[in-house]
Amino acid sequence: ELQLVESGGGLVQPGGSLRLSCVASGFTFSSYWMSWVRQAPGKGLEWVANIKQDGSDKYYVGSVKGRFTISRDNAKNSLFLQMSTLRAEDTAVYYCARGGRRDDYNGDYWGQGTLVTVSS
Amino acid sequence: DVVMTQSPLSLPVTLGQPASISCRSSQSLVYSDGNTYLNWFQQRPGQSPRRLIYKVSNRDSGVPDRFSGSGSGTDFTLKISRVEAEDVGVYYCLQGTHWPWTFGQGTRVEIK
């Protein structure tokens, strides 16, 4: 069974940092683009970042560029999101999703999400 | 960024009746490879999003055939032929043609 399990969320002060992780199972992780998508409490969805199979290509939405870094470890079937200089508006549930390019797999599987709260 | 506009934002439906959600993009979603990367997602209360439709009209595995997608260019529609109680939730369109990918605001489907 295909699974994506996120972890690493929590309460962090404005200006602080946090690293999210997503462990994949049930499919060949190294063969797929992977992405992070977030959802602020009671709000809609925002696609945050995606990364190519070998990590050589990465894309970010403008609001996180220069503050967030997406990375992956194919040997450990893991996806990461390093978040720094966090702001209140970064408060959201962060989902790991399979896909991220123009193909049939864009967003076809999602994890359960991990909540990040930025507050003093 | 491409703006995705859904309507209506709230959709009360009687069980067994059809429902239709519109999604319009601020620019064409046809990519240079000839494909149109428009997906539909369902988010039930308290759950993660689930993809229903990809590339305008392709239903994902396990998605009931009462769900269908159509459209072209900048104008797209998700239809539910006969709404069931399990269809309650918020539906989002997503364009995956122009980076950054962008979602519509969401349409809340509820039972009358």
Side-chain angles (χ1 to χ4, degrees):
Chain A
E1 182 196 359
L2 193 152
Q3 270 198 314
L4 297 168
V5 180
E6 302 94 334
S7 61
L11 175 63
V12 60
Q13 291 190 339
S17 298
L18 209 57
R19 189 193 197 208
L20 306 183
S21 300
C22 168
V23 176
S25 59
F27 66 102
T28 306
F29 179 74
S30 59
S31 296
Y32 293 86
W33 281 74
M34 294 295 297
S35 298
W36 288 98
V37 183
R38 68 183 178 183
Q39 185 170 36
K43 302 296 185 182
L45 298 163
E46 180 180 40
W47 206 287
V48 174
N50 54 19
I51 185 169
K52 194 177 179 180
Q53 290 92 330
D54 62 359
S56 61
D57 250 354
K58 304 174 185 181
Y59 295 86
Y60 301 92
V61 69
S63 57
V64 308
K65 212 173 288 187
R67 300 188 301 122
F68 289 13
T69 301
I70 189 172
S71 62
R72 64 192 296 163
D73 183 340
N74 288 340
K76 296 183 178 178
N77 291 341
S78 294
L79 176 72
F80 306 101
L81 186 67
Q82 178 68 46
M83 304 184 295
S84 61
T85 320
L86 283 161
R87 307 166 181 166
E89 54 265 35
D90 295 318
T91 294
V93 173
Y94 284 74
Y95 296 101
C96 166
R98 192 171 79 166
R101 284 323 278 172
R102 300 174 190 91
D103 55 31
D104 293 355
Y105 310 104
N106 201 21
D108 63 348
Y109 288 95
W110 297 57
Q112 85 290 346
T114 186
L115 176 61
V116 172
T117 303
V118 184
S119 174
S120 53
Chain B
D1 297 358
V2 176
V3 176
M4 304 297 288
T5 303
Q6 289 183 229
S7 63
L9 299 185
S10 179
L11 184 55
V13 187
T14 301
L15 286 173
Q17 292 301 302
S20 180
I21 300 171
S22 169
C23 175
R24 290 193 166 95
S25 57
S26 59
Q27 56 184 279
S28 174
L29 299 186
V30 180
Y31 190 56
S32 54
D33 63 6
N35 289 309
T36 300
Y37 296 98
L38 186 285
N39 298 348
W40 288 96
F41 295 84
Q42 174 196 61
Q43 188 173 31
R44 291 172 172 153
Q47 294 188 13
S48 302
R50 167 200 183 195
R51 198 178 73 174
L52 300 176
I53 302 283
Y54 63 97
K55 288 194 301 186
V56 181
S57 59
N58 296 276
R59 214 168 22 247
D60 272 282
S61 175
V63 174
D65 61 7
R66 63 179 181 276
F67 289 93
S68 64
S70 62
S72 62
T74 62
D75 203 344
F76 306 92
T77 303
L78 175 70
K79 290 182 179 174
I80 310 173
S81 58
R82 294 172 307 280
V83 171
E84 298 189 5
E86 65 179 20
D87 300 335
V88 165
V90 181
Y91 291 78
Y92 296 92
C93 57
L94 166 76
Q95 69 81 19
T97 297
H98 306 283
W99 181 256
W101 304 162
T102 46
F103 290 90
Q105 319 96 300
T107 295
R108 186 174 301 275
V109 172
E110 60 184 34
I111 306 300
K112 274 185 192 174

